[in-house]
Amino acid sequence: MTQQLSAGDHAPDFTLTDAFGNSVSLSEFRGEKVVVYFYPAAATPGCTTQACDFRDNLSSLAAAGYRVLGVSPDAPDKLRAFSEDEHLTFPLLSDEDHTVAEAWGAWGEKRNYGKTYEGLIRSTVVLDGDGHVALAQYNVKATGHVAKLRRDLGVS
């Protein structure tokens, strides 16, 4: 398992391709608070629930000064279809080789139905305006996570 990030750590920078083929760099968000959430696969039930929860809570997060970025190992074309199908209004970023997930501690050993394998660990990392980790949560549940995150961040 890769080293997970903790509060106070400097978040590794990245540049990834979004659902529409544009390059998005974390450094573009310097000066803003950013929620970076990692999810295993677009258009699966849990990931759809989580993405729609972020979509439905985006205005309250934005009002509190937070930007949201979703990261998965899906190809940009799959992310585009997912974004369009679910009317997602925040960037979805493609980390096909899971380099960013590894650097952020969101890639490692998983167990599912008695099998052990390497994969993306559903995780959320919140950054302050200087690119430091304010909050890091790993192995989060898809359902109810955004509500818990809002409580943890004091976002009403």
Side-chain angles (χ1 to χ4, degrees):
M1 173 122 122
T2 54
Q3 181 69 33
Q4 294 181 338
L5 298 176
S6 299
D9 289 348
H10 185 76
D13 201 8
F14 61 75
T15 299
L16 293 172
T17 303
D18 74 5
F20 301 96
N22 304 304
S23 288
V24 175
S25 296
L26 183 61
S27 60
E28 296 170 25
F29 299 92
R30 207 58 90 231
E32 298 181 77
K33 296 180 285 186
V34 183
V35 175
V36 180
Y37 84 97
F38 293 86
Y39 61 100
T44 57
C47 296
T48 299
T49 295
Q50 187 179 24
C52 291
D53 278 352
F54 271 111
R55 177 200 66 206
D56 295 346
N57 286 279
L58 201 58
S59 61
S60 64
L61 289 166
Y66 292 95
R67 299 285 299 266
V68 174
L69 302 174
V71 180
S72 80
D74 296 304
D77 58 337
K78 186 173 181 186
L79 295 178
R80 182 175 49 254
F82 182 46
S83 180
E84 290 172 349
D85 289 349
E86 301 303 332
H87 309 286
L88 303 178
T89 54
F90 54 87
L92 298 180
L93 307 176
S94 173
D95 183 26
E96 289 183 275
D97 63 3
H98 48 83
T99 302
V100 174
E102 287 182 38
W104 286 55
W107 188 269
E109 188 175 279
K110 297 176 64 164
R111 291 177 169 265
N112 199 10
Y113 300 109
K115 294 173 60 176
T116 301
Y117 59 97
E118 291 280 309
L120 193 128
I121 298 164
R122 191 181 305 277
S123 309
T124 299
V125 179
V126 180
L127 307 179
D128 65 16
D130 295 321
H132 291 98
V133 176
L135 179 70
Q137 299 177 333
Y138 293 91
N139 292 305
V140 302
K141 302 287 184 212
T143 303
H145 173 62
V146 176
K148 181 186 180 313
L149 180 65
R150 287 181 54 187
R151 284 192 304 274
D152 292 346
L153 296 174
V155 174
S156 53

